[in-house]
Amino acid sequence: MSIEASTKADERYQLTQLKEQLAEALGDDGPAYWSALRDFVHGRLNRQEFDFYAYLYLSDEKAKLHNQFILATIHNAQSGQAPPEGERSQGFEGRKKRKHEDAERAADG
């Protein structure tokens, strides 16, 4: 699924499909990527720190999916429409232990 310019400003994108595509493309790196993205959004990582993980986990194709997901998320946040009832993200959080922290230690050591 790609983001189309023809989508009206008040329509929502189907984030679940974009997230599933990105999760599938990330494979085993998915939990670490989602953890790093969540930490960035929550202010626990700055842009430079998130970029480190983005370059670590995202190839060109994966980066395109990431960008589509981020743009669609921003669009939905600005659309003024609530998400559909019962639509929740599951399975994208990863393990409790942060894999990206392990990756950083490995890169430093």
Side-chain angles (χ1 to χ4, degrees):
M1 175 181 179
S2 64
I3 296 178
E4 298 177 14
S6 63
T7 300
K8 296 178 185 173
D10 61 347
E11 291 180 358
R12 293 183 58 85
Y13 288 111
Q14 297 298 320
L15 291 179
T16 304
Q17 292 173 357
L18 285 170
K19 286 182 0 183
E20 287 172 355
Q21 287 179 352
L22 184 53
E24 185 177 315
L26 287 164
D28 291 339
D29 291 331
Y33 163 82
W34 294 113
S35 182
L37 180 60
R38 184 181 56 249
D39 285 352
F40 174 66
V41 170
H42 288 200
R44 293 187 290 259
L45 292 178
N46 64 35
R47 173 67 188 267
Q48 185 178 17
E49 292 167 328
F50 178 74
D51 281 349
F52 169 82
Y53 296 111
Y55 287 116
L56 189 64
Y57 302 126
L58 300 173
S59 64
D60 287 344
E61 182 180 327
K62 294 173 192 174
K64 289 176 187 176
L65 288 169
H66 161 84
N67 290 340
Q68 288 178 338
F69 174 72
I70 296 299
L71 290 173
T73 300
I74 292 168
H75 170 84
N76 284 357
Q78 295 176 338
S79 73
Q81 294 214 1
E85 283 292 318
E87 184 174 308
R88 295 194 58 193
S89 62
Q90 296 180 6
F92 300 103
E93 301 271 331
R95 300 181 305 223
K96 287 185 180 181
K97 185 175 180 179
R98 302 224 189 297
K99 187 176 175 183
H100 72 266
E101 290 173 353
D102 294 340
E104 185 177 52
R105 280 189 223 111
D108 289 341

